[in-house]
Amino acid sequence: MDGPGDPPEGTPEGAPGGGDEEYRSVVFDESFVRAARLREFSARERMDDHAPAVRTRHAWVRVSASRQVLLLVILITLAFGTAVYMGLRHPYKEPRPPTSEPLRVTLVPLAPHDAVPGGDARALLDRSPAARFRDGTDGVTLPAVRRTQNFSESLVMAALATAKEYTVKSALDPAVLTGGSQRTVRLLLTPDQLDQFDRSFDKPADDGLHEATGWLVRFDPSQVALADAPVRVQGAFSVTEASPAALEVSADHTFVYAVRPAKPGSGQPAQASLFTVRRILKFRFDRDDLQEHHVQVLQSAVQAGPESCSADDASYLRPLLAGQRAAAGGPADTDPYTTGVPQTALCGSLARGAEPTP
């Protein structure tokens, strides 16, 4: 028989050994061909320099969808738990702002030595120490603004501006002064103090906590009216950083009001008289308060006169009007051996130089 590589007609003429000699070294046997694995490259693989068309499937792909969801939930839970733990244990976390404290109030009536001088409102103001004061909001001025260690200049300015707004609305708004709505003042308070504020007007009490006149200045409209003259004001604000999370603003202002009787006698023009109120307020602002335009009022110290020592100022300030004298007697008796709600009855004497000159 002929060899497996020779054609029936024999080797071509002129080529030693024929054409098969050139490829004899690369001829594969039948077993090699059957065992060969055929792969066809995709178009993308051919473009990417013949990347393998067959990719290895990882074990994660073979995991069922439900197990994948379960593993994902476990990983998220572990991550969340770790974050909470690190937040609690981290020594440099942001300090929490202090919670709101209740307002503490001190009211001191100032009793006159003699009868209260009366006359024309503007003439009385010009003959009193209030002659050098400014009118109304012009007397409520802000200091130069400087940043603190933990609060920027803009935040300090926001605290001062809110403190000024509270001062103006609580002591210069005619509607508030005459016993009208106190809503404009209430809107400025932090929500934690609203219950105390509301109780101070619903059930005012001389207990250092629930005096309406600790929050604002107001007169009983059935007894007192405002005379036709601007309120004279003088005072100042100061700012301190109470903590890395809070600013405190102090406001010390003196307000001089021209007042008259709400119901003057028939046929007689009502004479005006002066009533002086000094208010020292302490405000606190945390970062939430500054963002939401709220204020915490921590302390309110009020000296007001001319009044009688026996005046009940919890709901309204009760000025002595032109020609009136202080009632006999000093402050109400206080028993230090009695427990319960403490009394805060105090009284002072109105200096003669604080009254208008004849």
Side-chain angles (χ1 to χ4, degrees):
M1 293 181 60
D2 295 332
D6 294 333
E9 61 274 17
T11 304
E13 184 179 357
D20 290 340
E21 292 295 335
E22 184 179 355
Y23 300 101
R24 190 174 298 277
S25 60
V26 294
V27 173
F28 305 111
D29 59 16
E30 184 178 357
S31 61
F32 182 89
V33 173
R34 290 182 177 179
R37 182 179 181 187
L38 299 179
R39 292 182 298 173
E40 181 180 356
F41 294 110
S42 65
R44 173 60 63 184
E45 289 172 333
R46 287 194 295 271
M47 292 175 63
D48 295 340
D49 196 20
H50 302 291
V54 179
R55 298 175 182 174
T56 304
R57 297 185 63 190
H58 297 284
W60 173 259
V61 180
R62 295 193 295 268
V63 179
S64 64
S66 60
R67 290 185 179 180
Q68 292 183 26
V69 173
L70 178 59
L71 289 174
L72 184 60
V73 170
I74 293 174
L75 289 175
I76 293 175
T77 303
L78 289 175
F80 181 79
T82 302
V84 172
Y85 176 80
M86 293 301 293
L88 294 174
R89 300 286 295 178
H90 199 285
Y92 303 108
K93 63 180 180 179
E94 181 74 14
R96 296 181 62 185
T99 57
S100 299
E101 300 176 9
L103 170 64
R104 302 289 179 175
V105 180
T106 303
L107 296 176
V108 181
L110 302 177
H113 296 278
D114 304 311
V116 176
D120 177 74
R122 295 180 182 273
L124 290 173
L125 288 168
D126 292 339
R127 298 199 308 266
S128 74
R132 64 180 185 273
F133 291 6
R134 294 182 178 181
D135 292 346
T137 57
D138 291 340
V140 187
T141 58
L142 296 179
V145 178
R146 295 181 178 87
R147 64 165 296 123
T148 65
Q149 183 176 357
N150 295 284
F151 289 85
S152 66
E153 183 176 312
S154 61
L155 291 177
V156 174
M157 185 64 204
L160 284 169
T162 305
K164 176 180 178 178
E165 184 177 358
Y166 185 95
T167 301
V168 169
K169 290 184 175 180
S170 64
L172 294 176
D173 185 349
V176 172
L177 293 175
T178 54
S181 172
Q182 61 273 6
R183 184 174 180 272
T184 56
V185 178
R186 188 181 188 274
L187 289 175
L188 292 174
L189 292 175
T190 185
D192 292 344
Q193 289 189 319
L194 293 181
D195 288 342
Q196 183 188 9
F197 181 87
D198 293 339
R199 167 143 182 219
S200 299
F201 290 87
D202 295 338
K203 296 181 179 179
D206 183 17
D207 59 2
L209 291 171
H210 299 102
E211 290 90 343
T213 47
W215 299 97
L216 48 82
V217 176
R218 69 173 188 166
F219 306 108
D220 185 349
S222 66
Q223 302 294 325
V224 179
L226 296 176
D228 184 17
V231 181
R232 299 286 177 89
V233 186
Q234 179 173 277
F237 294 94
S238 61
V239 183
T240 58
E241 184 176 299
S243 73
L247 287 172
E248 287 188 355
V249 176
S250 296
D252 186 350
H253 291 85
T254 299
F255 303 87
V256 182
Y257 303 90
V259 295
R260 60 177 178 79
K263 300 176 181 179
S266 57
Q268 296 291 333
Q271 285 191 320
S273 60
L274 301 185
F275 186 74
T276 304
V277 177
R278 182 184 179 188
R279 298 173 79 205
I280 302 175
L281 301 176
K282 180 181 284 188
F283 306 102
R284 176 180 289 165
F285 300 87
D286 59 34
R287 296 184 185 276
D288 289 339
D289 293 328
L290 294 173
Q291 183 178 1
E292 298 170 5
H293 196 61
H294 287 155
V295 60
Q296 305 171 38
V297 189
L298 301 184
Q299 295 178 10
S300 174
V302 179
Q303 300 174 358
E307 284 189 316
S308 293
C309 286
S310 58
D312 179 10
D313 285 338
S315 55
Y316 296 101
L317 296 176
R318 304 183 186 279
L320 294 171
L321 302 175
Q324 295 181 339
R325 294 177 176 270
D333 294 336
T334 302
D335 184 359
Y337 296 96
T338 302
T339 60
V341 178
Q343 294 180 342
T344 60
L346 299 171
C347 188
S349 178
L350 185 64
R352 295 184 184 277
E355 299 175 351
T357 57

